[in-house]
Amino acid sequence: MNSILTPILALTAWSLAVWLWMYATRIPAMQKARIEPQSARFPGSLSVLPDGVRQVADNYNHLMEQPTIFYALAVYVHLAGHADALNIGLAWSYVGLRVAHSLVQGTVNLVMARFALFSLSTIALIVITAREVLALV
C-alpha cells in the first residue's frame, strides 16, 4: 500500500466492477424493453432505458475519461521517484473520491454531490501535478 501504483490497480479494479454493474443492469433492462443488441449500435439508442440503468453506464464512461490523467500522472510520479507519502495519500484520496462519485451517480445521482466529489478528486490531481511541476523548477 506504500506504492503509488497500488491506487492505479484499485481504480482499475473498481472500473471493472462498475463495468459488471453496468451490464448486470443493462442486459435485463434491454431484454425487458425488447431492445435488440444491434439496435444499440448508435450513441443515444439506449436512452429509452430507465434512469438507474443509464446512470451506471454514464458512470462507467466517466471512469474512462478523467482517470486516464490519474493513471498517467501516477506512473509519471513513480518513474520520477517522487512517490512520497503525500503523493500516495493524494492518489488514494483520488481513488476514494472516484469510488464515492460512482456510488452516488449509480444510485441516488445527486448532481451537486457528484460535482463536489468530482471537484475534490480533481483538486487531488491538481496538487500532485503542481508538486511535480514545481519539482522541475
Side-chain angles (χ1 to χ4, degrees):
M1 299 294 262
N2 61 351
S3 168
I4 199 155
L5 299 178
T6 308
I8 292 175
L9 178 61
L11 190 55
T12 300
W14 176 252
S15 297
L16 293 172
V18 172
W19 180 86
L20 290 171
W21 184 11
M22 175 179 67
Y23 281 110
T25 58
R26 179 181 275 182
I27 292 171
M30 286 177 67
Q31 290 170 338
K32 184 176 180 182
R34 295 194 169 119
I35 298 172
E36 293 296 320
Q38 186 60 28
S39 63
R41 68 190 178 276
F42 296 112
S45 60
L46 296 178
S47 63
V48 298
L49 294 178
D51 289 352
V53 173
R54 291 190 349 242
Q55 61 203 38
V56 175
D58 289 345
N59 184 258
Y60 179 74
N61 291 333
H62 294 161
L63 289 169
M64 300 302 114
E65 296 169 350
Q66 190 191 62
T68 59
I69 296 169
F70 166 72
Y71 298 135
L73 183 59
V75 169
Y76 175 86
V77 169
H78 174 75
L79 293 175
H82 299 154
D84 61 11
L86 180 55
N87 277 342
I88 293 169
L90 288 165
W92 277 114
S93 296
Y94 180 81
V95 172
L97 290 162
R98 290 309 304 222
V99 169
H101 178 273
S102 292
L103 293 172
V104 168
Q105 186 169 18
T107 58
V108 295
N109 204 14
L110 297 172
V111 173
M112 289 311 293
R114 284 176 38 209
F115 178 71
L117 293 164
F118 177 77
S119 296
L120 289 170
S121 68
T122 302
I123 290 167
L125 290 181
I126 291 168
V127 172
I128 296 170
T129 302
R131 293 185 79 221
E132 291 308 303
V133 169
L134 290 173
L136 295 175
V137 208

